[in-house]
Amino acid sequence: MTESYFETVEIGEQRETQARTITEADVMNFAGVSGDFNHLHTDAETMAESSFGERIAHGMLVFSVATGLLWQSRSETERDAVVAFYGIDEVRFVGPTFIGDTIHVEIEVLDKEERDHPVATGVVRYDIEVVTQNGDTVLSCEMLSLVT
């Protein structure tokens, strides 16, 4: 019998994703999709006079890009094992992400818990840090995946 992904994942495993640059098109498209046209993201003139000095990306855009980077970093085995995105805990947007910043995700397996589920074997809890090209953490959270 083949081991499930859940059985093989190790607490303490770490990896890092590839990086992606946040563009003006990303910010404006996200504003259009989400309906969040807050001046923090869309008004360059107002934001030039702010403490940030320029527009910042939506926190949820950064989170969404992080989930894409995570998916792309997964092996075929891990991708096949994912039953569902199970949730996020302890989400903190700890710093701004500016247009032109290049972000990557640093991942560590924190815990895993078996579940009585018709399809999945359990839940894996990951520590997630989204980090810019300057080494600044801009988002941290614990992400949970329901896996086979």
Side-chain angles (χ1 to χ4, degrees):
M1 182 162 184
T2 311
E3 285 184 304
S4 69
Y5 169 75
F6 180 84
E7 294 167 324
T8 62
V9 70
E10 297 284 335
I11 295 172
E13 280 181 29
Q14 297 179 357
R15 74 173 181 269
E16 188 173 301
T17 69
Q18 295 293 317
R20 180 170 184 270
T21 301
I22 302 298
T23 67
E24 181 171 12
D26 293 330
V27 172
M28 297 312 290
N29 286 329
F30 192 83
V33 168
S34 67
D36 181 352
F37 292 96
N38 186 306
H39 70 277
L40 294 168
H41 318 301
T42 60
D43 187 338
E45 189 173 304
T46 298
M47 290 306 292
E49 303 299 320
S50 75
S51 60
F52 292 114
E54 60 184 292
R55 291 175 293 160
I56 60 174
H58 303 75
M60 291 310 294
L61 167 61
V62 174
F63 180 78
S64 296
V65 169
T67 63
L69 290 169
L70 288 166
W71 180 257
Q72 293 167 26
S73 76
R74 289 181 166 151
S75 69
E76 195 64 39
T77 299
E78 190 176 1
R79 286 179 181 183
D80 290 345
V82 174
V83 174
F85 173 55
Y86 198 67
I88 47 175
D89 293 333
E90 306 295 326
V91 180
R92 297 293 179 269
F93 301 98
V94 297
T97 303
F98 298 101
I99 294 170
D101 276 348
T102 300
I103 60 172
H104 70 274
V105 183
E106 297 175 1
I107 308 115
E108 180 178 356
V109 176
L110 290 179
D111 195 18
K112 59 185 196 175
E113 180 182 323
E114 286 189 51
R115 292 290 167 97
D116 182 18
H117 187 275
V119 177
T121 304
V123 173
V124 178
R125 179 180 295 271
Y126 302 92
D127 178 61
I128 304 296
E129 300 273 327
V130 180
V131 180
T132 69
Q133 73 279 0
N134 299 322
D136 299 324
T137 298
V138 294
L139 184 154
S140 66
C141 68
E142 294 180 6
M143 188 177 293
L144 294 85
S145 292
L146 187 64
V147 299
T148 58

